[in-house]
Amino acid sequence: QKEVEQNSGPLSVPEGAIASLNCTYSDRGSQSFFWYRQYSGKSPELIMFIYSNGDKEDGRFTAQLNKASQYVSLLIRDSQPSDSATYLCARTPWAGANNLFFGTGTRLTVIP
Amino acid sequence: EPEVTQTPSHQVTQMGQEVILRCVPISNHLYFYWYRQILGQKVEFLVSFYNNEISEKSEIFDDQFSVERPDGSNFTLKIRSTKLEDSAMYFCASSDQGALYEQYFGPGTRLTVT
């Protein structure tokens, strides 16, 4: 039940395209979901988090949460070569929890 | 912009030695975390700390590990007797509202046990 499943990729998109990253989970008690970006050899960098069903937009990024289907996704519009990184999905397992469970990440390559 | 800092950036130690990894969380944050990432693997939760005590710990965080907030700014992770399998990146993170909200990660300490 700790698992957060992500396609490891690599996912390749051309510059300017929309990149779509997906994450599924099995624990229906999961509360908040997070997307982090991690460049090789660096620490995770928070992109955004979502806890309500629906869409949440921040600049070129949109997170989508569907608790009934138990998936969360991240759309990156107008992808740039600098977006090339590993994208980590994480979840808070229950309302009072004070930890995060991470997926293995999806490697994204944006081709100039 | 406030950020989490960690020292040292790289620590090399011999098996069986004690190491202390140091973190300075963002100043107004109240929740502190340690995670580790073995090379090529996923980020794994170790321990969370709030109100001067451990709030949660994973099965990885056994008796060889301890955490401390020795003063108003530092947060440390001690590994009492390092093993080869402790070699990993160790990340400190902090949050102002807990794990339901944003956690910000420090740059990490690469621990190499020889």
Side-chain angles (χ1 to χ4, degrees):
Chain A
Q1 285 207 325
K2 292 182 181 179
E3 296 303 319
V4 175
E5 298 292 339
Q6 293 184 258
N7 187 328
S8 62
L11 172 67
S12 295
V13 299
E15 183 175 355
I18 295 175
S20 177
L21 303 156
N22 299 305
C23 170
T24 59
Y25 61 96
S26 54
D27 183 357
R28 289 193 175 273
S30 300
Q31 295 295 310
S32 294
F33 299 86
F34 301 80
W35 284 101
Y36 284 84
R37 177 172 62 194
Q38 187 175 32
Y39 294 110
S40 182
K42 302 294 186 182
S43 63
E45 175 191 1
L46 181 66
I47 299 172
M48 61 194 306
F49 77 105
I50 186 169
Y51 52 82
S52 298
N53 276 324
D55 295 359
K56 181 180 179 182
E57 187 174 314
D58 185 359
R60 295 188 295 115
F61 300 96
T62 298
Q64 299 173 317
L65 175 60
N66 184 320
K67 289 191 174 183
S69 300
Q70 295 176 251
Y71 79 81
V72 57
S73 62
L74 180 70
L75 301 178
I76 307 174
R77 289 182 298 282
D78 188 24
S79 296
Q80 301 297 308
S82 58
D83 294 326
S84 298
T86 297
Y87 288 80
L88 310 178
C89 174
R91 67 180 182 93
T92 308
W94 51 282
N98 200 17
N99 61 337
L100 290 181
F101 291 128
F102 281 82
T104 53
T106 298
R107 190 155 53 94
L108 172 68
T109 300
V110 180
I111 303 166
Chain B
E1 185 172 319
E3 58 184 21
V4 177
T5 60
Q6 291 185 243
T7 54
S9 57
H10 191 190
Q11 173 92 46
V12 181
T13 189
Q14 289 189 326
M15 197 166 50
Q17 296 297 304
E18 175 184 287
V19 294
I20 298 176
L21 310 183
R22 292 182 167 79
C23 168
V24 179
I26 294 172
S27 62
N28 63 335
H29 285 188
L30 302 176
Y31 298 82
F32 315 121
Y33 309 85
W34 284 101
Y35 295 85
R36 79 171 185 191
Q37 187 175 32
I38 295 170
L39 187 63
Q41 298 187 23
K42 64 182 176 182
V43 176
E44 299 175 290
F45 167 75
L46 293 178
V47 65
S48 56
F49 193 86
Y50 171 70
N51 200 25
N52 283 320
E53 61 182 20
I54 291 173
S55 54
E56 290 193 45
K57 59 182 181 179
S58 72
E59 58 270 18
I60 302 170
F61 193 88
D62 61 21
D63 292 344
Q64 294 299 313
F65 291 88
S66 62
V67 290
E68 193 178 31
R69 186 149 164 86
D71 53 42
S73 59
N74 291 282
F75 180 51
T76 61
L77 174 69
K78 181 192 291 186
I79 309 175
R80 191 165 302 119
S81 178
T82 50
K83 307 182 186 70
L84 293 176
E85 54 265 36
D86 294 328
S87 295
M89 280 290 284
Y90 287 81
F91 297 113
C92 175
S94 71
S95 171
D96 62 348
Q97 298 187 70
L100 291 178
Y101 302 93
E102 301 99 320
Q103 288 184 33
Y104 297 96
F105 280 67
T109 293
R110 179 169 296 284
L111 177 64
T112 302
V113 182
T114 62

